[in-house]
Amino acid sequence: MFTIGQVSEMFAIPVSTLRYYDKEGLFPNLMRAGNSFFPASGLAAWAAPLGCTC
């Protein structure tokens, strides 16, 4: 699992942008536990809406 800060660093996208995208519904299955978390196993799928082809 990655925190939103870690994903921000990996893709050089500001945390505020990721939070905005989440608010707009680009991450419909985002797991939450106080902070936003991205599952490591599906990181490529999470990156797809951001235009990343990793």
Side-chain angles (χ1 to χ4, degrees):
M1 303 277 283
F2 295 102
T3 66
I4 196 167
Q6 291 169 318
V7 173
S8 170
E9 289 180 18
M10 281 185 233
F11 296 106
I13 298 171
V15 169
S16 60
T17 300
L18 290 172
R19 287 191 176 127
Y20 173 78
Y21 290 164
D22 179 38
K23 183 179 173 183
E24 292 299 312
L26 287 173
F27 308 124
N29 299 316
L30 188 66
M31 293 182 231
R32 293 174 183 11
N35 292 323
S36 297
F37 290 94
F38 293 77
S41 61
L43 195 56
W46 288 104
L50 307 176
C52 180
T53 57
C54 48

